[in-house]
Amino acid sequence: MSEEAAVKRLSKVARELNIGIATIVEFLDKKGHKVEANPNSKLTPESYDLLLREFQSEKSLKEASQKVELKKPVRETISLEESAVKEKGDGDSDADEIVITNVQNPVEL
């Protein structure tokens, strides 16, 4: 049994074509094919071919979007406990040094 001759469920066709069940039912109703709005309803091969011809662009967009890979930035987590331990370990110097960066109007001393 080939893929085109197989009877397909409405929900599976909706996912495949990336359109809603209501859209499929409405389109097929306009074309003269009566289909229930039940996700488990089965579509005839003729109905499926009509849907493929009409909504092929949505299917190709879905396939193209699945090929796109989004890169997520690598995030580093820092806990306060680790930084507190580092500060206690640097107890050799008596004075703390403060460094200020990104000053818009620097003042000379």
Side-chain angles (χ1 to χ4, degrees):
M1 191 188 238
S2 69
E3 185 178 332
E4 289 132 12
V7 177
K8 295 191 176 195
R9 295 194 186 270
L10 184 58
S11 61
K12 183 171 178 151
V13 172
R15 274 185 271 126
E16 178 183 332
L17 297 176
N18 201 28
I19 55 176
I21 291 175
T23 306
I24 292 174
V25 172
E26 182 181 330
F27 174 76
L28 289 177
D29 189 42
K30 286 180 183 178
K31 295 293 182 178
H33 295 268
K34 297 292 179 191
V35 178
E36 292 181 36
N38 182 0
N40 292 323
S41 297
K42 294 185 179 180
L43 297 175
T44 62
E46 295 84 23
S47 300
Y48 181 68
D49 289 338
L50 276 174
L51 290 169
L52 275 180
R53 278 186 258 138
E54 180 68 22
F55 298 106
Q56 186 65 35
S57 61
E58 281 83 358
K59 183 178 179 180
S60 61
L61 282 174
K62 181 180 179 182
E63 291 170 353
S65 69
Q66 290 174 345
K67 292 178 183 177
V68 174
E69 183 179 321
L70 297 177
K71 295 183 179 182
K72 295 181 180 178
V74 178
R75 296 185 179 183
E76 182 180 337
T77 57
I78 301 172
S79 69
L80 295 176
E81 295 171 359
E82 290 177 5
S83 61
V85 170
K86 289 179 183 176
E87 288 177 11
K88 289 180 182 178
D90 295 336
D92 295 341
S93 64
D94 293 334
D96 291 335
E97 184 176 323
I98 298 175
V99 178
I100 301 174
T101 58
N102 295 335
V103 177
Q104 293 177 354
N105 296 323
V107 177
E108 294 184 25
L109 297 175

